[in-house]
Amino acid sequence: ANDPWSSWNVGKSGNWDNGTAVDSWATKPESAAGQRNSASNNWEAAGAFGHPQAYQGPAAADDDDWDDDWDDPKSASPSYLGYKESEASEAGGVQRGNSRAAAMKLPLNKFPGFAKPGMEQYLLAKQLAKPKEKIPIIIGDYGPMWVYPTSTFDCVVADPKKGSKMYGLKSYIEYQLTCTNTNRSVNHRYKHFDWLYERLLVKFGLAIPIPSLPDKQVTGRFEEEFIKMRMERLQAWMTRMCRHPVVSESEVFQQFLNFRDEKEWKTGKRKAEKDETVGVLIFSTMEPEAPDLDMVEIEQKCDAVGRFTKAMDDGVKELLTVGQEHWKRCTGPLPKEYQKIGKALQTLALVFSTSGYQGESDLNGAITEAGKTYEEIASLVADQPKKDLHFLMETNHEYKGFLGCFPDIIAAHKGAIERVKESDKLVATSKITPQDKQNMVKRVSTMAYALQAEMNHFHSNRIYDYNSVIRLYLEQQAQFYETIAQKLRQALSRFPVM
């Protein structure tokens, strides 16, 4: 149940055992990754926010109809240093979206576009409504791609502060969000991020992977370490959304970042919740600037995406497992081994010093210092994962969230392909007209172009992200071993040359 891939069954054509895709999608990302921000230590400050233009967020009364941050019983406190996810945390993760098949069943029946029959709503509509938001798809150097905005922006998540409502009976943490293109700030609680996530999932979830937010927390929500980790992961999530050319330009995302007062926030919130261009209807907003694809090519492209994303999902999970084990070793048994060596050397030097022999003081001092060096190395080993493995693990954690979205996306495309395959029978029995079938093929072609455009974006960011994070990991590892080597050479230089 914890594996998002196990619950998806698309039949023989969706079998993952067909090998992995070998398409080359290499390209530079359209915008650089946002910088992670260090957290302020002033968690308890209750005064005004530092930014002069910061809107203080919706009034406390406006949040009364929102669930509190701590009311999800299926969530558990994560272990930040060991990256171990307990069974309870995994169960909560399913509700948070780690298993998209499970997550999307929960909220979508509340929204227009999902309450009606699925794929037919798009494929067999006599005439699609003209949406205000148009999403063009062009052909670039690496195939279909989204149109990227001329100027990019990031959103800095910083300055977490503790607030309260109901005369102090309920407390929460509020974060300041500042867009780099406007330098204006707004303040949001975690539950506001959760609302945005749900809206983006409902609107784009069948076309664009929307990774889930950091899990809810039952206890320890106001502990400094938890707030820092949550803010770091919210920052990473917002950077991903800002980097996406479709999501970042969407009305709901822009409204989340740029509302000016409480009235504008409420108006935008209601408007987003009444949006009918959601679910399969998101494809009605997409306009590929290219000829329609044939069904054979559409199915091949879909299968290739399925094979690659499943293979990458397996690889990411394996690296996370290995990383968790290595983290435990670096913070547990390995430092203790170095400490034992250090103490044993110092004990030996102490024994030597009791011999009364006058000519061994230099040796005894050198052995003592060597023992202390090994104790210092033990401390370095225990601290090192925070400097390099942490970022590698976080990147894999993010991509695990992305990859968990693809079963639903691929299932939607497979479902559309199957409908087209069945269309000849429907034409033969006069249930649909030949023109209806032509419309179906054209619309499935649009979906295929959207999938390819999204995969081009995914691959370009994947290449950039893994190049950056593995370079950082190797640089920090090299520096780590150079520091150890330097300390060992210093210890060695104390020994007398015989």
Side-chain angles (χ1 to χ4, degrees):
N2 294 335
D3 186 351
W5 303 99
S6 62
S7 61
W8 183 53
N9 180 14
V10 296
K12 186 176 180 181
S13 61
N15 195 334
W16 295 116
D17 297 329
N18 298 328
T20 57
V22 292
D23 296 6
S24 174
W25 299 86
T27 184
K28 291 177 66 177
E30 298 299 328
S31 62
Q35 297 296 319
R36 301 185 188 276
N37 301 283
S38 59
S40 165
N41 289 325
N42 186 19
W43 310 117
E44 304 300 324
F49 289 88
H51 198 286
Q53 297 180 1
Y55 169 55
Q56 300 304 309
D62 187 44
D63 288 327
D64 288 342
D65 58 341
W66 297 61
D67 293 333
D68 284 304
D69 293 346
W70 42 262
D71 61 6
D72 185 354
K74 292 187 174 64
S75 176
S77 175
S79 175
Y80 298 107
L81 300 183
Y83 289 92
K84 179 180 180 181
E85 296 181 3
S86 65
E87 292 182 6
S89 178
E90 283 288 343
V94 170
Q95 300 299 322
R96 301 292 312 129
N98 288 348
S99 173
R100 311 310 279 186
M104 291 189 70
K105 289 176 183 176
L106 298 178
L108 302 189
N109 58 1
K110 298 189 296 183
F111 302 106
F114 283 90
K116 301 175 185 178
M119 194 54 64
E120 292 84 354
Q121 186 187 6
Y122 168 62
L123 295 180
L124 291 175
K126 294 296 182 182
Q127 186 173 358
L128 293 172
K130 295 287 184 182
K132 294 180 181 179
E133 299 176 64
K134 289 292 184 181
I135 304 174
I137 300 172
I138 61 174
I139 304 300
D141 294 338
Y142 297 94
M145 60 182 290
W146 305 119
V147 175
Y148 288 82
T150 54
S151 61
T152 59
F153 69 95
D154 195 7
C155 176
V156 179
V157 182
D159 200 21
K161 287 186 171 65
K162 189 175 182 179
S164 63
K165 65 178 184 177
M166 296 179 65
Y167 303 99
L169 293 177
K170 290 189 176 182
S171 299
Y172 55 85
I173 298 296
E174 199 165 38
Y175 303 88
Q176 184 181 84
L177 281 66
T178 306
C179 284
T180 57
N181 59 341
T182 63
N183 203 33
R184 284 190 67 255
S185 295
V186 295
N187 297 300
H188 281 298
R189 296 169 57 180
Y190 174 85
K191 60 178 58 180
H192 301 161
F193 285 94
D194 198 38
W195 174 86
L196 176 63
Y197 159 71
E198 187 176 81
R199 294 313 315 164
L200 293 177
L201 178 64
V202 167
K203 186 169 182 65
F204 298 112
L206 293 182
I208 296 169
I210 306 295
S212 59
L213 292 169
D215 284 355
K216 290 183 179 181
Q217 183 82 349
V218 177
T219 58
R221 290 185 300 123
F222 302 114
E223 293 177 3
E224 183 174 329
E225 190 67 29
F226 170 74
I227 294 172
K228 285 182 179 180
M229 178 58 73
R230 171 173 276 186
M231 187 172 69
E232 180 180 345
R233 289 181 170 177
L234 287 175
Q235 174 67 75
W237 190 85
M238 287 300 297
T239 294
R240 295 287 178 191
M241 298 299 101
C242 289
R243 199 190 293 183
H244 198 286
V246 176
V247 174
S248 64
E249 295 295 305
S250 65
E251 188 174 0
V252 61
F253 191 73
Q254 288 290 326
Q255 188 269 343
F256 183 80
L257 294 177
N258 295 313
F259 65 93
R260 296 181 179 275
D261 53 39
E262 185 175 344
K263 181 180 178 181
E264 191 172 324
W265 162 257
K266 287 183 177 180
T267 302
K269 182 171 175 286
R270 291 194 197 99
K271 183 178 180 182
E273 290 168 352
K274 292 179 181 178
D275 186 3
E276 294 189 359
T277 312
V278 296
V280 295
L281 292 182
I282 192 61
F283 296 108
S284 68
T285 67
M286 299 176 181
E287 296 183 339
E289 298 178 6
D292 293 344
L293 299 171
D294 63 61
M295 290 306 299
V296 174
E297 187 175 4
I298 289 172
E299 192 161 13
Q300 288 174 346
K301 295 289 185 183
C302 187
D303 288 341
V305 171
R307 288 193 299 270
F308 176 83
T309 51
K310 177 58 175 72
M312 183 177 174
D313 186 66
D314 292 339
V316 164
K317 288 177 179 175
E318 182 180 1
L319 187 53
L320 281 171
T321 300
V322 172
Q324 289 168 2
E325 293 171 355
H326 183 63
W327 190 296
K328 291 177 188 176
R329 182 166 174 76
C330 286
T331 55
L334 197 53
K336 291 178 181 178
E337 291 173 14
Y338 283 106
Q339 288 172 349
K340 288 178 181 178
I341 294 173
K343 291 186 183 300
L345 287 172
Q346 292 178 73
T347 300
L348 183 64
L350 186 62
V351 171
F352 283 178
S353 67
T354 63
S355 69
Y357 187 71
Q358 298 296 321
E360 64 173 338
S361 59
D362 290 344
L363 173 62
N364 293 344
I367 295 175
T368 300
E369 290 302 317
K372 292 179 180 178
T373 297
Y374 272 91
E375 290 183 328
E376 292 174 7
I377 291 173
S379 179
L380 290 174
V381 169
D383 291 339
Q384 187 60 28
K386 299 176 186 177
K387 300 177 182 179
D388 48 31
L389 186 57
H390 168 77
F391 300 105
L392 183 59
M393 295 289 283
E394 283 297 298
T395 298
N396 275 275
H397 186 77
E398 288 181 60
Y399 272 90
K400 179 186 175 186
F402 273 113
L403 293 162
C405 301
F406 277 99
D408 279 340
I409 293 175
I410 301 297
H413 286 263
K414 290 283 188 183
I417 292 169
E418 292 302 317
R419 296 295 184 276
V420 173
K421 288 181 178 180
E422 296 166 0
S423 62
D424 287 331
K425 294 180 181 178
L426 297 176
V427 171
T429 55
S430 300
K431 291 183 179 179
I432 65 173
T433 66
Q435 182 61 45
D436 290 334
K437 180 187 175 181
Q438 279 189 339
N439 289 340
M440 290 176 70
V441 173
K442 183 177 181 63
R443 290 168 186 175
V444 172
S445 177
T446 296
M447 293 177 65
Y449 276 119
L451 182 61
Q452 292 175 72
E454 182 54 35
M455 289 309 296
N456 262 322
H457 177 77
F458 178 84
H459 286 311
S460 64
N461 281 276
R462 171 182 60 84
I463 290 166
Y464 177 87
D465 291 333
Y466 277 93
N467 180 65
S468 300
V469 76
I470 294 177
R471 277 181 59 90
L472 172 65
Y473 180 75
L474 294 177
E475 287 168 358
Q476 290 294 322
Q477 282 280 290
Q479 185 176 335
F480 167 64
Y481 285 109
E482 286 168 1
T483 301
I484 291 177
Q486 183 180 1
K487 287 186 174 295
L488 292 173
R489 290 191 188 98
Q490 288 176 350
L492 177 62
S493 67
R494 298 177 183 273
F495 283 79
V497 179
M498 299 296 182

